[in-house]
Amino acid sequence: MKTTVLIIEDSPSMARTYDGFLRRAGMETIVVETCAAGIDEISREEPHAVLLDLHLPDGSGLKLLRWLQKEGRKVPVIAITANGSMGTAVEAMREGARDFLVKPFSGPKMIAALEQMWMRTEEETDDTPVPAPAAKPQPQENQAIASQMIGESLPMKAVYKIIEAAAPSDASVFITGESGTGKELAAEAIHRNSGRSRGPLVILNCAAIAPNMLESEVFGHVKGAFTGAVSDREGAAERAHGGTLFLDELGEMEIGLQSKLLRLLQEGTYMRVGESKERRADIRFVAATNRDPRKAIVEGKLREDLYFRLNVIPITMPPLRERGMDTVLIASSFLERFAKEHGKTQTTFDEGARAALASHGWPGNVRELMNVVRRAVILGTGQGDEVTAEDLALAMQLDGEGQAPVVSFSEGAWDAVVEPLHVTERRAIERALAVTEGNIQEAARLLEINPSTIYRKKTSWAV
Ligand SMILES: Nc1ncnc2c1ncn2[C@@H]1O[C@H](COP(=O)(O)OP(=O)(O)OP(=O)(O)O)[C@@H](O)[C@H]1O
């Protein structure tokens, strides 16, 4: 019996293109133009997969996904979305689509997406049934999605939401954010919550490897490929087969090598250094940079086509200074951990220390915060159970070589020397609330304003 794919696409030229790709790959196809016709087809005879355009004449393709859920049908769906409609794609994943493709895409990409989807569905049905979308974590459980990340601020809740929606797909993810904001933790959360969690997560920091060795690190090499290549060696691509490859500091990868990476992304193929045999790897890609990618493209340091391939799901990690109360929450958690590790009794911050935590700019973000808290614990007098502002001040003075960590995002267009007054106002209020642990009366007293102003502002932010 041939594999049948139902194509639901209202543009005749697009439908013909998809039809051609699939037939050339030896599959049967059925083409319909509307959601209603798609439902009829599936009711009559369930295909092996559905390619679903999300923008249809009789409404959004999401309707069909909801119908499948209601009927308890397990036919796997790949949603198709236009570039720039990422919101709908993420929504489709929530509604049970197994993957999505962003137009325009190549025939091999489409076939690879189908094959990977079937492979995963088979693996899942081996021992456990394909999880019903209803069994997916609910939004209020967002925090559990990224269980190693602490933070309840709105920007972090948005990050958890995107991770939750995007993790189950095979779509590439591009994470931006200043150094130390948790990009690697986000990549780990994506892998852990994906269908590939039982496969490997391979992390490669492009900045930590000598440029002339990076190709061999990514693709492997054969014996004799270069001086020192004394035996065959597999690369990250091979190790990541069936799992996720996290390419940290991608902007540091030399542009020629980026072309080879693009081929791996598009066609799933690569060659070891010194070998002409083509190898295949089934990989989900997550990349990150602490630089502004658009600027890197303009400067010729990042291939635009590679960026667009990787940037299917963009995630921006907010800097600590935009996370309000999170600073105190994260610091408190580190304090408990380090106090235990170093056998100290101080497990809380006094009021002055909380004020210091909330008012510092944290250019090095969570990593800097972690180092300061660790140092404060080690240097603390060990008397009493509170870390004081003095303990923190000493720890901050001893920050590394006395230099603030590099904040690459502050270069160029994202320079924010001056910020809108309402942002300054909100920051001041959030700091006061952080210091007073959410006590509005006390925060108002510190800010020398009426408590009703804080209530009013908080209500307006929630809208
Ligand atoms: N929200 C968070 N809660 C708790 N710990 C965090 C959080 N975010 C980051 N960390 C910790 O801070 C440190 C830096 O995080 P991570 O390495 O993920 O940042 P990064 O953005 O990848 O940094 P870089 O750009 O320098 O590679 C790690 O030890 C990580 O565990």
Side-chain angles (χ1 to χ4, degrees), residues 148-151 156 177-185 248-249 290 323 330 334 366-367 370:
Q148 286 170 291
M149 286 189 197
I150 300 162
M156 282 311 287
E178 292 173 12
S179 195
T181 43
K183 297 187 290 299
E184 189 172 320
L185 280 192
D248 202 358
E249 308 292 358
N290 58 15
R323 298 193 204 171
I330 297 172
F334 285 149
V366 183
R367 186 177 292 116
M370 182 161 69

mmCIF file with all atom_site columns, all heavy atoms in Angstrom, residues 148-151 156 177-185 248-249 290 323 330 334 366-367 370, ligand 1:
data_model
loop_
_atom_site.group_PDB
_atom_site.id
_atom_site.type_symbol
_atom_site.label_atom_id
_atom_site.label_alt_id
_atom_site.label_comp_id
_atom_site.label_asym_id
_atom_site.label_entity_id
_atom_site.label_seq_id
_atom_site.pdbx_PDB_ins_code
_atom_site.Cartn_x
_atom_site.Cartn_y
_atom_site.Cartn_z
_atom_site.occupancy
_atom_site.B_iso_or_equiv
_atom_site.pdbx_formal_charge
_atom_site.auth_seq_id
_atom_site.auth_comp_id
_atom_site.auth_asym_id
_atom_site.auth_atom_id
_atom_site.pdbx_PDB_model_num
ATOM   1   N N   . GLN A 1 148 ? 14.696 24.567 35.226 1.00 0.00 ? 148 GLN A N   1
ATOM   2   C CA  . GLN A 1 148 ? 15.915 25.078 35.852 1.00 0.00 ? 148 GLN A CA  1
ATOM   3   C C   . GLN A 1 148 ? 15.937 26.599 35.856 1.00 0.00 ? 148 GLN A C   1
ATOM   4   O O   . GLN A 1 148 ? 16.844 27.193 36.424 1.00 0.00 ? 148 GLN A O   1
ATOM   5   C CB  . GLN A 1 148 ? 17.133 24.575 35.087 1.00 0.00 ? 148 GLN A CB  1
ATOM   6   C CG  . GLN A 1 148 ? 17.408 23.115 35.356 1.00 0.00 ? 148 GLN A CG  1
ATOM   7   C CD  . GLN A 1 148 ? 18.467 22.629 34.383 1.00 0.00 ? 148 GLN A CD  1
ATOM   8   O OE1 . GLN A 1 148 ? 18.216 22.523 33.190 1.00 0.00 ? 148 GLN A OE1 1
ATOM   9   N NE2 . GLN A 1 148 ? 19.636 22.368 34.884 1.00 0.00 ? 148 GLN A NE2 1
ATOM   10  N N   . MET A 1 149 ? 14.972 27.216 35.193 1.00 0.00 ? 149 MET A N   1
ATOM   11  C CA  . MET A 1 149 ? 14.967 28.674 35.135 1.00 0.00 ? 149 MET A CA  1
ATOM   12  C C   . MET A 1 149 ? 14.086 29.233 36.236 1.00 0.00 ? 149 MET A C   1
ATOM   13  O O   . MET A 1 149 ? 12.935 28.838 36.353 1.00 0.00 ? 149 MET A O   1
ATOM   14  C CB  . MET A 1 149 ? 14.396 29.149 33.808 1.00 0.00 ? 149 MET A CB  1
ATOM   15  C CG  . MET A 1 149 ? 15.335 28.948 32.679 1.00 0.00 ? 149 MET A CG  1
ATOM   16  S SD  . MET A 1 149 ? 14.635 29.784 31.267 1.00 0.00 ? 149 MET A SD  1
ATOM   17  C CE  . MET A 1 149 ? 15.566 29.030 30.000 1.00 0.00 ? 149 MET A CE  1
ATOM   18  N N   . ILE A 1 150 ? 14.642 30.174 36.971 1.00 0.00 ? 150 ILE A N   1
ATOM   19  C CA  . ILE A 1 150 ? 13.852 30.832 38.000 1.00 0.00 ? 150 ILE A CA  1
ATOM   20  C C   . ILE A 1 150 ? 13.401 32.159 37.432 1.00 0.00 ? 150 ILE A C   1
ATOM   21  O O   . ILE A 1 150 ? 14.161 32.808 36.705 1.00 0.00 ? 150 ILE A O   1
ATOM   22  C CB  . ILE A 1 150 ? 14.702 31.038 39.265 1.00 0.00 ? 150 ILE A CB  1
ATOM   23  C CG1 . ILE A 1 150 ? 15.171 29.669 39.770 1.00 0.00 ? 150 ILE A CG1 1
ATOM   24  C CG2 . ILE A 1 150 ? 13.922 31.773 40.346 1.00 0.00 ? 150 ILE A CG2 1
ATOM   25  C CD1 . ILE A 1 150 ? 16.332 29.771 40.723 1.00 0.00 ? 150 ILE A CD1 1
ATOM   26  N N   . GLY A 1 151 ? 12.183 32.581 37.767 1.00 0.00 ? 151 GLY A N   1
ATOM   27  C CA  . GLY A 1 151 ? 11.710 33.873 37.298 1.00 0.00 ? 151 GLY A CA  1
ATOM   28  C C   . GLY A 1 151 ? 10.234 33.832 36.978 1.00 0.00 ? 151 GLY A C   1
ATOM   29  O O   . GLY A 1 151 ? 9.766  32.890 36.344 1.00 0.00 ? 151 GLY A O   1
ATOM   30  N N   . MET A 1 156 ? 9.763  36.734 31.278 1.00 0.00 ? 156 MET A N   1
ATOM   31  C CA  . MET A 1 156 ? 10.159 35.330 31.390 1.00 0.00 ? 156 MET A CA  1
ATOM   32  C C   . MET A 1 156 ? 8.964  34.409 31.129 1.00 0.00 ? 156 MET A C   1
ATOM   33  O O   . MET A 1 156 ? 9.113  33.338 30.557 1.00 0.00 ? 156 MET A O   1
ATOM   34  C CB  . MET A 1 156 ? 10.764 35.040 32.775 1.00 0.00 ? 156 MET A CB  1
ATOM   35  C CG  . MET A 1 156 ? 12.189 35.505 32.905 1.00 0.00 ? 156 MET A CG  1
ATOM   36  S SD  . MET A 1 156 ? 13.266 34.984 31.536 1.00 0.00 ? 156 MET A SD  1
ATOM   37  C CE  . MET A 1 156 ? 13.461 33.244 31.866 1.00 0.00 ? 156 MET A CE  1
ATOM   38  N N   . GLY A 1 177 ? 20.145 37.259 22.987 1.00 0.00 ? 177 GLY A N   1
ATOM   39  C CA  . GLY A 1 177 ? 20.101 37.810 24.343 1.00 0.00 ? 177 GLY A CA  1
ATOM   40  C C   . GLY A 1 177 ? 21.518 38.066 24.803 1.00 0.00 ? 177 GLY A C   1
ATOM   41  O O   . GLY A 1 177 ? 22.466 37.428 24.327 1.00 0.00 ? 177 GLY A O   1
ATOM   42  N N   . GLU A 1 178 ? 21.633 38.984 25.749 1.00 0.00 ? 178 GLU A N   1
ATOM   43  C CA  . GLU A 1 178 ? 22.955 39.338 26.270 1.00 0.00 ? 178 GLU A CA  1
ATOM   44  C C   . GLU A 1 178 ? 23.611 38.127 26.915 1.00 0.00 ? 178 GLU A C   1
ATOM   45  O O   . GLU A 1 178 ? 22.929 37.155 27.255 1.00 0.00 ? 178 GLU A O   1
ATOM   46  C CB  . GLU A 1 178 ? 22.804 40.444 27.318 1.00 0.00 ? 178 GLU A CB  1
ATOM   47  C CG  . GLU A 1 178 ? 22.368 41.759 26.742 1.00 0.00 ? 178 GLU A CG  1
ATOM   48  C CD  . GLU A 1 178 ? 22.076 42.783 27.820 1.00 0.00 ? 178 GLU A CD  1
ATOM   49  O OE1 . GLU A 1 178 ? 22.428 42.557 28.999 1.00 0.00 ? 178 GLU A OE1 1
ATOM   50  O OE2 . GLU A 1 178 ? 21.486 43.819 27.479 1.00 0.00 ? 178 GLU A OE2 1
ATOM   51  N N   . SER A 1 179 ? 24.895 38.251 27.149 1.00 0.00 ? 179 SER A N   1
ATOM   52  C CA  . SER A 1 179 ? 25.648 37.185 27.797 1.00 0.00 ? 179 SER A CA  1
ATOM   53  C C   . SER A 1 179 ? 25.079 36.913 29.191 1.00 0.00 ? 179 SER A C   1
ATOM   54  O O   . SER A 1 179 ? 24.756 37.857 29.921 1.00 0.00 ? 179 SER A O   1
ATOM   55  C CB  . SER A 1 179 ? 27.098 37.636 27.899 1.00 0.00 ? 179 SER A CB  1
ATOM   56  O OG  . SER A 1 179 ? 27.888 36.541 28.190 1.00 0.00 ? 179 SER A OG  1
ATOM   57  N N   . GLY A 1 180 ? 24.938 35.634 29.524 1.00 0.00 ? 180 GLY A N   1
ATOM   58  C CA  . GLY A 1 180 ? 24.500 35.270 30.873 1.00 0.00 ? 180 GLY A CA  1
ATOM   59  C C   . GLY A 1 180 ? 23.012 35.376 31.121 1.00 0.00 ? 180 GLY A C   1
ATOM   60  O O   . GLY A 1 180 ? 22.558 35.341 32.269 1.00 0.00 ? 180 GLY A O   1
ATOM   61  N N   . THR A 1 181 ? 22.206 35.490 30.070 1.00 0.00 ? 181 THR A N   1
ATOM   62  C CA  . THR A 1 181 ? 20.757 35.625 30.272 1.00 0.00 ? 181 THR A CA  1
ATOM   63  C C   . THR A 1 181 ? 20.050 34.265 30.293 1.00 0.00 ? 181 THR A C   1
ATOM   64  O O   . THR A 1 181 ? 18.842 34.202 30.493 1.00 0.00 ? 181 THR A O   1
ATOM   65  C CB  . THR A 1 181 ? 20.107 36.494 29.171 1.00 0.00 ? 181 THR A CB  1
ATOM   66  O OG1 . THR A 1 181 ? 20.652 36.124 27.907 1.00 0.00 ? 181 THR A OG1 1
ATOM   67  C CG2 . THR A 1 181 ? 20.332 37.965 29.413 1.00 0.00 ? 181 THR A CG2 1
ATOM   68  N N   . GLY A 1 182 ? 20.782 33.189 30.037 1.00 0.00 ? 182 GLY A N   1
ATOM   69  C CA  . GLY A 1 182 ? 20.162 31.861 30.119 1.00 0.00 ? 182 GLY A CA  1
ATOM   70  C C   . GLY A 1 182 ? 19.844 31.242 28.764 1.00 0.00 ? 182 GLY A C   1
ATOM   71  O O   . GLY A 1 182 ? 18.958 30.400 28.657 1.00 0.00 ? 182 GLY A O   1
ATOM   72  N N   . LYS A 1 183 ? 20.607 31.622 27.734 1.00 0.00 ? 183 LYS A N   1
ATOM   73  C CA  . LYS A 1 183 ? 20.326 31.079 26.384 1.00 0.00 ? 183 LYS A CA  1
ATOM   74  C C   . LYS A 1 183 ? 20.557 29.566 26.357 1.00 0.00 ? 183 LYS A C   1
ATOM   75  O O   . LYS A 1 183 ? 19.781 28.826 25.764 1.00 0.00 ? 183 LYS A O   1
ATOM   76  C CB  . LYS A 1 183 ? 21.203 31.781 25.338 1.00 0.00 ? 183 LYS A CB  1
ATOM   77  C CG  . LYS A 1 183 ? 20.901 33.272 25.228 1.00 0.00 ? 183 LYS A CG  1
ATOM   78  C CD  . LYS A 1 183 ? 21.639 33.926 24.093 1.00 0.00 ? 183 LYS A CD  1
ATOM   79  C CE  . LYS A 1 183 ? 23.126 34.032 24.310 1.00 0.00 ? 183 LYS A CE  1
ATOM   80  N NZ  . LYS A 1 183 ? 23.536 34.828 25.474 1.00 0.00 ? 183 LYS A NZ  1
ATOM   81  N N   . GLU A 1 184 ? 21.622 29.137 27.050 1.00 0.00 ? 184 GLU A N   1
ATOM   82  C CA  . GLU A 1 184 ? 21.898 27.692 27.041 1.00 0.00 ? 184 GLU A CA  1
ATOM   83  C C   . GLU A 1 184 ? 20.808 26.937 27.817 1.00 0.00 ? 184 GLU A C   1
ATOM   84  O O   . GLU A 1 184 ? 20.371 25.859 27.412 1.00 0.00 ? 184 GLU A O   1
ATOM   85  C CB  . GLU A 1 184 ? 23.277 27.433 27.647 1.00 0.00 ? 184 GLU A CB  1
ATOM   86  C CG  . GLU A 1 184 ? 23.714 25.995 27.469 1.00 0.00 ? 184 GLU A CG  1
ATOM   87  C CD  . GLU A 1 184 ? 25.165 25.777 27.885 1.00 0.00 ? 184 GLU A CD  1
ATOM   88  O OE1 . GLU A 1 184 ? 26.021 26.623 27.605 1.00 0.00 ? 184 GLU A OE1 1
ATOM   89  O OE2 . GLU A 1 184 ? 25.418 24.727 28.508 1.00 0.00 ? 184 GLU A OE2 1
ATOM   90  N N   . LEU A 1 185 ? 20.361 27.527 28.913 1.00 0.00 ? 185 LEU A N   1
ATOM   91  C CA  . LEU A 1 185 ? 19.278 26.883 29.681 1.00 0.00 ? 185 LEU A CA  1
ATOM   92  C C   . LEU A 1 185 ? 18.024 26.758 28.822 1.00 0.00 ? 185 LEU A C   1
ATOM   93  O O   . LEU A 1 185 ? 17.316 25.744 28.875 1.00 0.00 ? 185 LEU A O   1
ATOM   94  C CB  . LEU A 1 185 ? 18.929 27.717 30.922 1.00 0.00 ? 185 LEU A CB  1
ATOM   95  C CG  . LEU A 1 185 ? 19.805 27.598 32.149 1.00 0.00 ? 185 LEU A CG  1
ATOM   96  C CD1 . LEU A 1 185 ? 19.121 28.260 33.333 1.00 0.00 ? 185 LEU A CD1 1
ATOM   97  C CD2 . LEU A 1 185 ? 20.119 26.150 32.479 1.00 0.00 ? 185 LEU A CD2 1
ATOM   98  N N   . ASP A 1 248 ? 26.138 27.453 19.999 1.00 0.00 ? 248 ASP A N   1
ATOM   99  C CA  . ASP A 1 248 ? 26.223 28.700 20.769 1.00 0.00 ? 248 ASP A CA  1
ATOM   100 C C   . ASP A 1 248 ? 27.218 29.632 20.074 1.00 0.00 ? 248 ASP A C   1
ATOM   101 O O   . ASP A 1 248 ? 28.180 29.166 19.461 1.00 0.00 ? 248 ASP A O   1
ATOM   102 C CB  . ASP A 1 248 ? 26.689 28.365 22.191 1.00 0.00 ? 248 ASP A CB  1
ATOM   103 C CG  . ASP A 1 248 ? 26.298 29.448 23.173 1.00 0.00 ? 248 ASP A CG  1
ATOM   104 O OD1 . ASP A 1 248 ? 25.709 30.453 22.739 1.00 0.00 ? 248 ASP A OD1 1
ATOM   105 O OD2 . ASP A 1 248 ? 26.582 29.291 24.375 1.00 0.00 ? 248 ASP A OD2 1
ATOM   106 N N   . GLU A 1 249 ? 26.984 30.930 20.188 1.00 0.00 ? 249 GLU A N   1
ATOM   107 C CA  . GLU A 1 249 ? 27.859 31.944 19.574 1.00 0.00 ? 249 GLU A CA  1
ATOM   108 C C   . GLU A 1 249 ? 28.055 31.673 18.086 1.00 0.00 ? 249 GLU A C   1
ATOM   109 O O   . GLU A 1 249 ? 29.190 31.671 17.571 1.00 0.00 ? 249 GLU A O   1
ATOM   110 C CB  . GLU A 1 249 ? 29.242 31.976 20.266 1.00 0.00 ? 249 GLU A CB  1
ATOM   111 C CG  . GLU A 1 249 ? 29.207 32.109 21.765 1.00 0.00 ? 249 GLU A CG  1
ATOM   112 C CD  . GLU A 1 249 ? 28.710 33.459 22.239 1.00 0.00 ? 249 GLU A CD  1
ATOM   113 O OE1 . GLU A 1 249 ? 28.431 34.306 21.366 1.00 0.00 ? 249 GLU A OE1 1
ATOM   114 O OE2 . GLU A 1 249 ? 28.565 33.652 23.447 1.00 0.00 ? 249 GLU A OE2 1
ATOM   115 N N   . ASN A 1 290 ? 25.000 36.337 21.254 1.00 0.00 ? 290 ASN A N   1
ATOM   116 C CA  . ASN A 1 290 ? 24.756 37.481 22.139 1.00 0.00 ? 290 ASN A CA  1
ATOM   117 C C   . ASN A 1 290 ? 24.971 38.791 21.376 1.00 0.00 ? 290 ASN A C   1
ATOM   118 O O   . ASN A 1 290 ? 25.064 39.848 21.954 1.00 0.00 ? 290 ASN A O   1
ATOM   119 C CB  . ASN A 1 290 ? 25.609 37.423 23.411 1.00 0.00 ? 290 ASN A CB  1
ATOM   120 C CG  . ASN A 1 290 ? 27.085 37.363 23.122 1.00 0.00 ? 290 ASN A CG  1
ATOM   121 O OD1 . ASN A 1 290 ? 27.505 37.631 21.997 1.00 0.00 ? 290 ASN A OD1 1
ATOM   122 N ND2 . ASN A 1 290 ? 27.878 37.021 24.115 1.00 0.00 ? 290 ASN A ND2 1
ATOM   123 N N   . ARG A 1 323 ? 13.690 42.261 34.372 1.00 0.00 ? 323 ARG A N   1
ATOM   124 C CA  . ARG A 1 323 ? 12.900 41.177 34.948 1.00 0.00 ? 323 ARG A CA  1
ATOM   125 C C   . ARG A 1 323 ? 12.349 41.478 36.334 1.00 0.00 ? 323 ARG A C   1
ATOM   126 O O   . ARG A 1 323 ? 11.917 40.561 37.048 1.00 0.00 ? 323 ARG A O   1
ATOM   127 C CB  . ARG A 1 323 ? 13.742 39.905 35.011 1.00 0.00 ? 323 ARG A CB  1
ATOM   128 C CG  . ARG A 1 323 ? 14.179 39.408 33.656 1.00 0.00 ? 323 ARG A CG  1
ATOM   129 C CD  . ARG A 1 323 ? 14.725 37.997 33.772 1.00 0.00 ? 323 ARG A CD  1
ATOM   130 N NE  . ARG A 1 323 ? 15.626 37.696 32.686 1.00 0.00 ? 323 ARG A NE  1
ATOM   131 C CZ  . ARG A 1 323 ? 16.380 36.610 32.631 1.00 0.00 ? 323 ARG A CZ  1
ATOM   132 N NH1 . ARG A 1 323 ? 16.329 35.730 33.605 1.00 0.00 ? 323 ARG A NH1 1
ATOM   133 N NH2 . ARG A 1 323 ? 17.160 36.387 31.609 1.00 0.00 ? 323 ARG A NH2 1
ATOM   134 N N   . ILE A 1 330 ? 15.949 34.977 42.071 1.00 0.00 ? 330 ILE A N   1
ATOM   135 C CA  . ILE A 1 330 ? 17.078 34.154 41.615 1.00 0.00 ? 330 ILE A CA  1
ATOM   136 C C   . ILE A 1 330 ? 18.206 34.203 42.655 1.00 0.00 ? 330 ILE A C   1
ATOM   137 O O   . ILE A 1 330 ? 18.781 33.178 43.011 1.00 0.00 ? 330 ILE A O   1
ATOM   138 C CB  . ILE A 1 330 ? 17.583 34.640 40.231 1.00 0.00 ? 330 ILE A CB  1
ATOM   139 C CG1 . ILE A 1 330 ? 16.484 34.469 39.175 1.00 0.00 ? 330 ILE A CG1 1
ATOM   140 C CG2 . ILE A 1 330 ? 18.831 33.883 39.806 1.00 0.00 ? 330 ILE A CG2 1
ATOM   141 C CD1 . ILE A 1 330 ? 16.811 35.086 37.812 1.00 0.00 ? 330 ILE A CD1 1
ATOM   142 N N   . PHE A 1 334 ? 20.023 31.117 44.681 1.00 0.00 ? 334 PHE A N   1
ATOM   143 C CA  . PHE A 1 334 ? 21.469 30.864 44.675 1.00 0.00 ? 334 PHE A CA  1
ATOM   144 C C   . PHE A 1 334 ? 22.016 30.895 46.111 1.00 0.00 ? 334 PHE A C   1
ATOM   145 O O   . PHE A 1 334 ? 22.869 30.095 46.472 1.00 0.00 ? 334 PHE A O   1
ATOM   146 C CB  . PHE A 1 334 ? 22.201 31.938 43.859 1.00 0.00 ? 334 PHE A CB  1
ATOM   147 C CG  . PHE A 1 334 ? 22.039 31.784 42.364 1.00 0.00 ? 334 PHE A CG  1
ATOM   148 C CD1 . PHE A 1 334 ? 22.050 32.900 41.535 1.00 0.00 ? 334 PHE A CD1 1
ATOM   149 C CD2 . PHE A 1 334 ? 21.900 30.534 41.779 1.00 0.00 ? 334 PHE A CD2 1
ATOM   150 C CE1 . PHE A 1 334 ? 21.920 32.771 40.159 1.00 0.00 ? 334 PHE A CE1 1
ATOM   151 C CE2 . PHE A 1 334 ? 21.765 30.400 40.395 1.00 0.00 ? 334 PHE A CE2 1
ATOM   152 C CZ  . PHE A 1 334 ? 21.769 31.521 39.583 1.00 0.00 ? 334 PHE A CZ  1
ATOM   153 N N   . VAL A 1 366 ? 22.443 36.908 34.758 1.00 0.00 ? 366 VAL A N   1
ATOM   154 C CA  . VAL A 1 366 ? 22.336 35.904 35.823 1.00 0.00 ? 366 VAL A CA  1
ATOM   155 C C   . VAL A 1 366 ? 23.701 35.352 36.238 1.00 0.00 ? 366 VAL A C   1
ATOM   156 O O   . VAL A 1 366 ? 23.941 35.087 37.408 1.00 0.00 ? 366 VAL A O   1
ATOM   157 C CB  . VAL A 1 366 ? 21.393 34.756 35.394 1.00 0.00 ? 366 VAL A CB  1
ATOM   158 C CG1 . VAL A 1 366 ? 21.218 33.765 36.525 1.00 0.00 ? 366 VAL A CG1 1
ATOM   159 C CG2 . VAL A 1 366 ? 20.044 35.316 34.959 1.00 0.00 ? 366 VAL A CG2 1
ATOM   160 N N   . ARG A 1 367 ? 24.605 35.235 35.246 1.00 0.00 ? 367 ARG A N   1
ATOM   161 C CA  . ARG A 1 367 ? 25.925 34.701 35.607 1.00 0.00 ? 367 ARG A CA  1
ATOM   162 C C   . ARG A 1 367 ? 26.628 35.630 36.582 1.00 0.00 ? 367 ARG A C   1
ATOM   163 O O   . ARG A 1 367 ? 27.222 35.187 37.563 1.00 0.00 ? 367 ARG A O   1
ATOM   164 C CB  . ARG A 1 367 ? 26.768 34.506 34.350 1.00 0.00 ? 367 ARG A CB  1
ATOM   165 C CG  . ARG A 1 367 ? 28.084 33.814 34.679 1.00 0.00 ? 367 ARG A CG  1
ATOM   166 C CD  . ARG A 1 367 ? 28.929 33.536 33.460 1.00 0.00 ? 367 ARG A CD  1
ATOM   167 N NE  . ARG A 1 367 ? 28.341 32.538 32.601 1.00 0.00 ? 367 ARG A NE  1
ATOM   168 C CZ  . ARG A 1 367 ? 27.931 32.788 31.356 1.00 0.00 ? 367 ARG A CZ  1
ATOM   169 N NH1 . ARG A 1 367 ? 28.031 33.992 30.863 1.00 0.00 ? 367 ARG A NH1 1
ATOM   170 N NH2 . ARG A 1 367 ? 27.423 31.836 30.619 1.00 0.00 ? 367 ARG A NH2 1
ATOM   171 N N   . MET A 1 370 ? 25.022 35.349 39.996 1.00 0.00 ? 370 MET A N   1
ATOM   172 C CA  . MET A 1 370 ? 25.408 34.097 40.648 1.00 0.00 ? 370 MET A CA  1
ATOM   173 C C   . MET A 1 370 ? 26.790 34.236 41.286 1.00 0.00 ? 370 MET A C   1
ATOM   174 O O   . MET A 1 370 ? 26.999 33.853 42.435 1.00 0.00 ? 370 MET A O   1
ATOM   175 C CB  . MET A 1 370 ? 25.416 32.988 39.590 1.00 0.00 ? 370 MET A CB  1
ATOM   176 C CG  . MET A 1 370 ? 25.751 31.629 40.119 1.00 0.00 ? 370 MET A CG  1
ATOM   177 S SD  . MET A 1 370 ? 25.216 30.363 38.964 1.00 0.00 ? 370 MET A SD  1
ATOM   178 C CE  . MET A 1 370 ? 26.312 30.620 37.634 1.00 0.00 ? 370 MET A CE  1
HETATM 179 N N1  . LIG B 2 .   ? 16.461 32.144 34.941 1.00 0.00 ? 1   LIG B N1  1
HETATM 180 C C1  . LIG B 2 .   ? 17.506 31.544 35.517 1.00 0.00 ? 1   LIG B C1  1
HETATM 181 N N2  . LIG B 2 .   ? 17.374 30.966 36.713 1.00 0.00 ? 1   LIG B N2  1
HETATM 182 C C2  . LIG B 2 .   ? 18.419 30.359 37.318 1.00 0.00 ? 1   LIG B C2  1
HETATM 183 N N3  . LIG B 2 .   ? 19.651 30.283 36.792 1.00 0.00 ? 1   LIG B N3  1
HETATM 184 C C3  . LIG B 2 .   ? 19.849 30.843 35.603 1.00 0.00 ? 1   LIG B C3  1
HETATM 185 C C4  . LIG B 2 .   ? 18.787 31.500 34.900 1.00 0.00 ? 1   LIG B C4  1
HETATM 186 N N4  . LIG B 2 .   ? 19.284 31.959 33.726 1.00 0.00 ? 1   LIG B N4  1
HETATM 187 C C5  . LIG B 2 .   ? 20.578 31.629 33.707 1.00 0.00 ? 1   LIG B C5  1
HETATM 188 N N5  . LIG B 2 .   ? 20.942 30.955 34.813 1.00 0.00 ? 1   LIG B N5  1
HETATM 189 C C6  . LIG B 2 .   ? 22.290 30.468 35.159 1.00 0.00 ? 1   LIG B C6  1
HETATM 190 O O1  . LIG B 2 .   ? 23.191 31.513 34.764 1.00 0.00 ? 1   LIG B O1  1
HETATM 191 C C7  . LIG B 2 .   ? 24.351 30.972 34.126 1.00 0.00 ? 1   LIG B C7  1
HETATM 192 C C8  . LIG B 2 .   ? 24.433 31.527 32.712 1.00 0.00 ? 1   LIG B C8  1
HETATM 193 O O2  . LIG B 2 .   ? 23.385 30.954 31.929 1.00 0.00 ? 1   LIG B O2  1
HETATM 194 P P1  . LIG B 2 .   ? 23.604 30.481 30.412 1.00 0.00 ? 1   LIG B P1  1
HETATM 195 O O3  . LIG B 2 .   ? 24.961 29.846 30.232 1.00 0.00 ? 1   LIG B O3  1
HETATM 196 O O4  . LIG B 2 .   ? 22.424 29.678 29.994 1.00 0.00 ? 1   LIG B O4  1
HETATM 197 O O5  . LIG B 2 .   ? 23.611 31.911 29.703 1.00 0.00 ? 1   LIG B O5  1
HETATM 198 P P2  . LIG B 2 .   ? 23.955 32.290 28.212 1.00 0.00 ? 1   LIG B P2  1
HETATM 199 O O6  . LIG B 2 .   ? 22.995 33.341 27.822 1.00 0.00 ? 1   LIG B O6  1
HETATM 200 O O7  . LIG B 2 .   ? 24.016 31.038 27.367 1.00 0.00 ? 1   LIG B O7  1
HETATM 201 O O8  . LIG B 2 .   ? 25.400 32.928 28.349 1.00 0.00 ? 1   LIG B O8  1
HETATM 202 P P3  . LIG B 2 .   ? 26.518 33.169 27.209 1.00 0.00 ? 1   LIG B P3  1
HETATM 203 O O9  . LIG B 2 .   ? 25.953 34.097 26.182 1.00 0.00 ? 1   LIG B O9  1
HETATM 204 O O10 . LIG B 2 .   ? 27.646 33.800 27.966 1.00 0.00 ? 1   LIG B O10 1
HETATM 205 O O11 . LIG B 2 .   ? 26.866 31.811 26.651 1.00 0.00 ? 1   LIG B O11 1
HETATM 206 C C9  . LIG B 2 .   ? 24.206 29.469 34.177 1.00 0.00 ? 1   LIG B C9  1
HETATM 207 O O12 . LIG B 2 .   ? 24.885 28.992 35.302 1.00 0.00 ? 1   LIG B O12 1
HETATM 208 C C10 . LIG B 2 .   ? 22.715 29.251 34.330 1.00 0.00 ? 1   LIG B C10 1
HETATM 209 O O13 . LIG B 2 .   ? 22.447 28.046 35.012 1.00 0.00 ? 1   LIG B O13 1
#
